[in-house]
Amino acid sequence: MLLVVDVGNTNTVLGVFAKVAKGDADSPASEALGYELVANWRLATVVTQTVDEYGVLFRNLFAMNKVEAKGIHGIVISSVVPPPDSTLREVCERYFSSKPLFIEPGVKTGMPVLYDNPGEVGADRIVNAVAAFEKYGGPCLVVDFGTATTFDCVSAKGEYQGGVISPGLGISADALFERTARLPRVDIRKPARVIGSNTVGSLQSGLYYGYLGLVDGILELLLKELGKEAKVVATGGLASLIGTGSKYIKNVDEFLTLEGLRIIWERNAARSGREPSLTKAKNAAAERTASKPWPGSKSKTTSTTSLKSKNIFSGGAGVPC
């Protein structure tokens, strides 16, 4: 199993992927196994947690979902909050006997980064872009509704072009509450009608429709530059709330970041030897395939060799992150 961790400013999201049978009798051994998300959790990011506190927390979460900690053979982490990085590294080594892969400059992502300074791009933005291009093709545009709302653009060739960063909806709501004397803190939701008949309804309407206007306004401008054929994908904690009301967002993908972490881990596993049991698993899968076909249809995968032939892994004018 693979443990993926996305550490954000407000929340930390964890997921566990397990290998499952895929393909049919005609599939090669390398396609006989695939990953499926079997458990996920969203927690508050606490930068003061100790190694043992994290260890107990992870073990308890695993126990609730009947996930065996000893079954974790790889860990990949994306973090935009530096303080807990060293703590998480020690947690992985002490409690899972595994050295984690951190998403940082130098890690093989398969996506050239055309930012002026690639090192400035948040790890989560690259992870989202990789997952969106892999799942939906290009050009594509990812809107991540987190503490900040980010808009990330990927070209038809799979190049990370950059994007937009704006204050998140939660930040906007907090600022309104903290800077006014008599306005209460309200639950962020879509109101029944635009015209509020009381203070709470008026606040909810302003927050929801005001932010929806911001999102659609930015998307309209980005699509003019990226191309109207670009797929728009939303992810993050408030993706379902705002994404379903947007006239441009067509796909809401709750686990896009977790999928991106898995994809990047797989692209680095073979090169670094992080998955020593992979060959053995593939051989076992090939033996089972010879005697009994896998259920389901043939899955579509892309080998590292074919990606290299398309120059996706070479930076071109950009720099691979």
Side-chain angles (χ1 to χ4, degrees), residues 143-303:
V143 188
D144 188 348
F145 294 94
T147 306
T149 297
T150 56
F151 302 75
D152 297 299
C153 301
V154 182
S155 71
K157 297 179 181 179
E159 303 160 324
Y160 179 83
Q161 296 183 309
V164 176
I165 302 175
S166 65
L169 179 51
I171 290 178
S172 301
D174 289 343
L176 186 63
F177 169 75
E178 292 171 2
R179 298 295 297 271
T180 55
R182 301 186 64 179
L183 294 182
R185 190 184 297 274
V186 299
D187 184 26
I188 300 174
R189 64 173 64 182
K190 181 179 179 179
R193 56 199 301 262
V194 179
I195 300 176
S197 58
N198 51 57
T199 301
V200 171
S202 299
L203 284 169
Q204 289 177 331
S205 184
L207 289 169
Y208 177 81
Y209 289 107
Y211 206 78
L212 183 60
L214 177 148
V215 170
D216 277 353
I218 292 176
L219 286 175
E220 182 177 356
L221 296 174
L222 289 174
L223 288 170
K224 287 181 181 179
E225 295 187 18
L226 193 60
K228 292 187 177 181
E229 74 279 6
K231 296 88 173 173
V232 182
V233 186
T235 191
L238 294 174
S240 58
L241 175 65
I242 302 297
T244 53
S246 169
K247 62 182 178 180
Y248 296 109
I249 296 173
K250 303 303 180 184
N251 302 283
V252 176
D253 195 329
E254 181 181 0
F255 303 117
L256 186 72
T257 309
L258 301 185
E259 289 284 355
L261 287 169
R262 175 190 61 78
I263 292 167
I264 293 176
W265 185 86
E266 287 183 307
R267 290 177 179 176
N268 286 268
R271 183 179 67 171
S272 62
R274 292 178 182 273
E275 194 176 8
S277 61
L278 184 59
T279 302
K280 182 177 179 181
K282 287 179 179 178
N283 291 338
E287 292 176 3
R288 289 193 295 270
T289 301
S291 59
K292 183 178 180 181
W294 291 109
S297 60
K298 185 175 181 180
S299 62
K300 180 180 179 182
T301 59
T302 306
S303 67

